[in-house]
Amino acid sequence: MLEPMTNADAPEPRPRRRAPAGAAVLREDVTEAIRTAVFEELAAVGYARMSIEGIARRAGVGKTAVYRRWRSKLHVVLDVVSALAVQGLPAPDTGSLESDLRLLYEVSSRALRHPVASQILPDLQAEAARNPEIAEAVQKALREGQDGVAKGIVTAAQERGEIGAGVDRALALDLISGPLYWRSVVIRSPKLPKGYLDGLARATAQALKAL
């Protein structure tokens, strides 16, 4: 006759498996603090002198927190710069081509002339000449960051009949984005002349209509 199974005879429950240390969820607030620190460190010391130690110190975290997210300072910079490409700018919708351009130039001018951006972009452009990966990331951020906005402006103008349906989109993007970038980032003019943005919007609108 079988004896009844007592609690002592019952099989022990299986211990819960612990997630490996590397599988821990990365805190988003820490990730954002590190990204902010990267921008600030780039502006302060430039890419060549930037270090993981400096980034971690500025973000208020340990070096391990940075290395758990990125393998090197190159990878963290590539990630942060590439993220700019998907942020973009809101597409203006004022009802006219010239007004759309004027609003775009106002927002872009403030962004390009921000102290952090004005320090970072020239440094990364110089580094891009030596590093193909950085060159690709910078190109992506600069080109794609405004590409969607420019396409939106051109498409809206075409729908209103302000410009032709067969306009060259690549040339239109160069016309829209080139002059302001040249003055703000390449020449680094300390202050835009009075009425410059109005004149630029008017001239660009006329150029687009002439394509």
Side-chain angles (χ1 to χ4, degrees):
M1 182 177 178
L2 295 174
E3 296 182 2
M5 185 174 64
T6 65
N7 289 338
D9 298 320
E12 296 182 2
R14 293 182 180 179
R16 293 183 179 180
R17 295 181 61 186
R18 294 183 179 179
V25 177
L26 300 179
R27 288 173 49 186
E28 187 59 30
D29 59 331
V30 174
T31 301
E32 287 306 311
I34 294 172
R35 286 195 173 110
T36 299
V38 171
F39 279 112
E40 294 174 350
E41 193 73 0
L42 276 171
V45 304
Y47 178 81
R49 294 175 56 198
M50 188 180 74
S51 66
I52 295 296
E53 290 81 0
I55 294 171
R57 184 169 53 251
R58 192 178 289 272
V61 300
K63 290 190 299 181
T64 303
V66 181
Y67 281 119
R68 286 176 62 196
R69 291 162 172 81
W70 299 279
R71 297 198 304 271
S72 67
K73 76 171 186 178
L74 172 60
H75 289 91
V76 67
V77 170
L78 291 176
D79 177 69
V80 169
V81 173
S82 297
L84 295 176
V86 300
Q87 292 178 4
L89 298 168
D93 186 15
T94 64
S96 76
L97 175 59
E98 185 174 327
S99 297
D100 283 353
L101 291 170
R102 178 62 178 79
L103 182 56
L104 173 64
Y105 290 148
E106 179 67 32
V107 175
S108 299
S109 176
R110 291 178 182 176
L112 289 172
R113 295 166 70 82
H114 187 279
V116 174
S118 64
Q119 292 292 328
I120 289 175
L121 286 176
D123 182 65
L124 287 181
Q125 288 283 43
E127 194 64 35
R130 299 183 289 270
N131 190 313
E133 290 182 281
I134 289 182
E136 182 179 357
V138 170
Q139 190 68 250
K140 181 180 178 67
L142 294 178
R143 193 75 180 185
E144 294 185 11
Q146 291 216 355
D147 191 47
V149 178
K151 285 181 179 178
I153 291 175
V154 171
T155 298
Q158 288 174 323
E159 293 174 349
R160 291 191 296 261
E162 292 182 276
I163 60 178
V167 65
D168 185 329
R169 292 295 183 97
L171 180 56
L173 176 60
D174 290 342
L175 287 172
I176 292 172
S177 304
L180 185 59
Y181 181 81
W182 169 264
R183 180 174 285 270
S184 299
V185 179
V186 180
I187 296 180
R188 303 186 72 180
S189 176
K191 186 177 181 180
L192 294 177
K194 184 178 181 180
Y196 175 80
L197 295 181
D198 291 327
L200 179 59
R202 183 166 54 252
T204 304
Q206 293 173 353
L208 291 172
K209 292 175 182 179
L211 291 179

